[in-house]
Amino acid sequence: QVQLVESGGGSVQSGGSLRLSCSGLGVTYSSYTMAWFRQAPGKEREGVAAIDSNGRTTYADSVKGRFTISQDNDDKPCYLQMNSLTPEDTAMYYCAARAGPLMFNAYDLYDKHFGFWGQGTQVTVSS
């Protein structure tokens, strides 16, 4: 059974950093992708970053150069290092997982392709 539990959210001032963690328990596929999504109040959920079992990564344009997704392959947790945060990054952040690798097309960060989700962790950035 896949269990995705996020942690590491909180409140930070603009320009600050946070590191989110996702447990990744039960992700036993030989080929898989784990990703971070976020949803701000009144907005649609958007993909932020993804990493696959080969260690390849992809990012939304809005976070490139500021966010880094990584993974501990021994235990399959997934991390999101967020630097240079702005109030526009304020949202509930969700960890997600699916079978299969990144395809490097428009659907890599499409939430409907992910079948496993965590409960989310809140990130609030104040100006």
Side-chain angles (χ1 to χ4, degrees), residues 29-50:
Y29 303 107
S30 59
S31 176
Y32 61 85
T33 294
M34 295 185 72
W36 288 94
F37 290 78
R38 66 186 181 186
Q39 188 167 21
K43 294 187 177 181
E44 293 187 355
R45 187 164 53 191
E46 64 169 338
V48 173

Side-chain angles (χ1 to χ4, degrees), residues 6 17 35 84 93 98 100 110:
E6 303 94 338
S17 298
S84 301
Y93 282 72
R98 64 167 177 80
Y110 183 48

Side-chain angles (χ1 to χ4, degrees), residues 16-81:
S17 298
L18 284 173
R19 188 189 194 215
L20 305 183
S21 298
C22 174
S23 62
L25 295 176
V27 179
T28 59
Y29 303 107
S30 59
S31 176
Y32 61 85
T33 294
M34 295 185 72
W36 288 94
F37 290 78
R38 66 186 181 186
Q39 188 167 21
K43 294 187 177 181
E44 293 187 355
R45 187 164 53 191
E46 64 169 338
V48 173
I51 186 168
D52 69 10
S53 45
N54 296 312
R56 303 177 302 172
T57 60
T58 191
Y59 296 90
D61 288 342
S62 59
V63 305
K64 281 180 181 176
R66 300 190 299 123
F67 290 11
T68 302
I69 189 170
S70 61
Q71 188 173 45
D72 180 341
N73 285 324
D74 290 338
D75 297 326
K76 294 190 178 66
C78 181
Y79 306 102
L80 186 68
Q81 178 68 42

